[in-house]
Amino acid sequence: CSSKTSSLLGRTERRVREIFRSTILARLWRPLPLGFTLGWLVFAGAMRVRGYLDPAIAMYVLVIFMGLVSLDVENGGLHLILARRITRNQYLAGRLSAALSIGFVFCLLRVAVTWGAALTWAPPDRLPTSEDLIALLVQSLGQASWQIAILFFFSTFLPGRIDAFAYWLLLVANEALNGLGIALDKIWVVTLTEWIADQLQNPLNSWAFGAASWTDLLRFSSNLTLVILAGALIFHRRQFSYAAG
């Protein structure tokens, strides 16, 4: 019994690893995403030093990870993958873990570029401290993992690359409602839309997890878990025609 269990776990690990590897090759190891990654790292690092809003993570995730699952459904690749005795759980685990790994590496490079740009351009009295860099890394990791999870969720049931547009449409619509609430002096609308924005953006801005930041950490981790589980549940309930694609 134990040998059968070990054999089953070994096969599962190999299948997840295979999906992981194919995701890395498809989403990163090509000229366009590689060029975009390097160029955007330099641009975003310079913007961070100059004190502007940092759009690096949002744009990177948008370009690299849109259609994480849905493109496989659309082009028929998913049907071939699942026909090779790879379960849906193994497929999702491979796709998501690869995407999060790419995002993690990008965030590390992001902080390194920020530090290098600061050493080059910023005066000595304005160099970021190690605490600043750790805070930036945690914030970047939180933002990247959340937005990857959101795209993963929408791509389990929306076609093509609509997942990214659905997320940004929600953000814009909520912001418009917030502005309307302010214009009409409706405090309850403003309060509700601010709460919704906090859930949609799910920021993780603190690294010194004191009493005040444990609430943020709980909100972030619970939202992240719920979004991933919801995406997996939707994907499992979908019916795929193996004649498609």
Side-chain angles (χ1 to χ4, degrees):
C1 182
S2 61
S3 62
K4 289 183 179 180
T5 302
S6 300
S7 178
L8 179 61
L9 290 175
R11 287 197 300 271
T12 298
E13 183 181 351
R14 285 195 299 273
R15 290 164 185 169
V16 171
R17 196 161 53 235
E18 183 179 351
I19 297 297
F20 180 96
R21 178 178 174 276
S22 68
T23 305
I24 295 290
L25 293 176
R27 297 286 169 170
L28 181 63
W29 204 249
R30 290 183 179 179
L32 179 60
L34 277 177
F36 176 81
T37 298
L38 296 175
W40 193 254
L41 278 169
V42 173
F43 176 68
M47 290 186 70
R48 184 73 185 188
V49 171
R50 293 176 179 272
Y52 297 119
L53 178 65
D54 177 16
I57 302 300
M59 287 300 298
Y60 182 75
V61 171
L62 178 70
V63 170
I64 302 298
F65 298 114
M66 62 170 60
L68 187 62
V69 174
S70 54
L71 289 181
D72 283 342
V73 178
E74 190 175 80
N75 63 25
L78 178 65
H79 311 89
L80 296 177
I81 292 172
L82 295 181
R84 298 169 57 193
R85 292 187 177 180
I86 292 178
T87 68
R88 295 192 182 201
N89 281 337
Q90 292 166 350
Y91 167 78
L92 293 178
R95 280 284 183 263
L96 189 57
S97 59
L100 292 173
S101 297
I102 294 172
F104 177 77
V105 172
F106 178 80
C107 291
L108 289 177
L109 293 174
R110 171 77 186 77
V111 173
V113 169
T114 297
W115 175 244
L119 289 176
T120 304
W121 297 327
D125 59 333
R126 297 192 59 185
L127 287 177
T129 64
S130 58
E131 185 173 303
D132 293 332
L133 293 175
I134 293 174
L136 174 61
L137 178 60
V138 171
Q139 180 181 352
S140 300
L141 290 174
Q143 186 178 358
S145 58
W146 170 247
Q147 293 187 353
I148 288 171
I150 284 288
L151 292 186
F152 167 81
F153 167 75
F154 281 119
S155 71
T156 58
F157 63 91
L158 292 178
R161 295 179 172 85
I162 303 299
D163 48 359
F165 297 103
Y167 177 52
W168 288 104
L169 182 62
L170 285 176
L171 291 173
V172 171
N174 187 69
E175 190 66 24
L177 284 175
N178 181 265
L180 183 63
I182 294 174
L184 298 178
D185 197 25
K186 299 293 185 181
I187 303 300
W188 70 270
V189 175
V190 175
T191 303
L192 177 62
T193 52
E194 287 178 351
W195 180 85
I196 293 175
D198 205 35
Q199 308 310 309
L200 287 175
Q201 298 178 41
N202 205 25
L204 185 61
N205 296 325
S206 176
W207 72 273
F209 297 129
S213 59
W214 277 113
T215 304
D216 287 341
L217 182 61
L218 179 61
R219 184 253 307 142
F220 173 83
S221 57
S222 60
N223 285 354
L224 185 70
T225 302
L226 287 173
V227 164
I228 292 174
L229 289 178
L233 179 62
I234 291 172
F235 185 77
H236 273 278
R237 295 180 69 86
R238 288 189 63 180
Q239 299 295 322
F240 298 110
S241 170
Y242 284 83

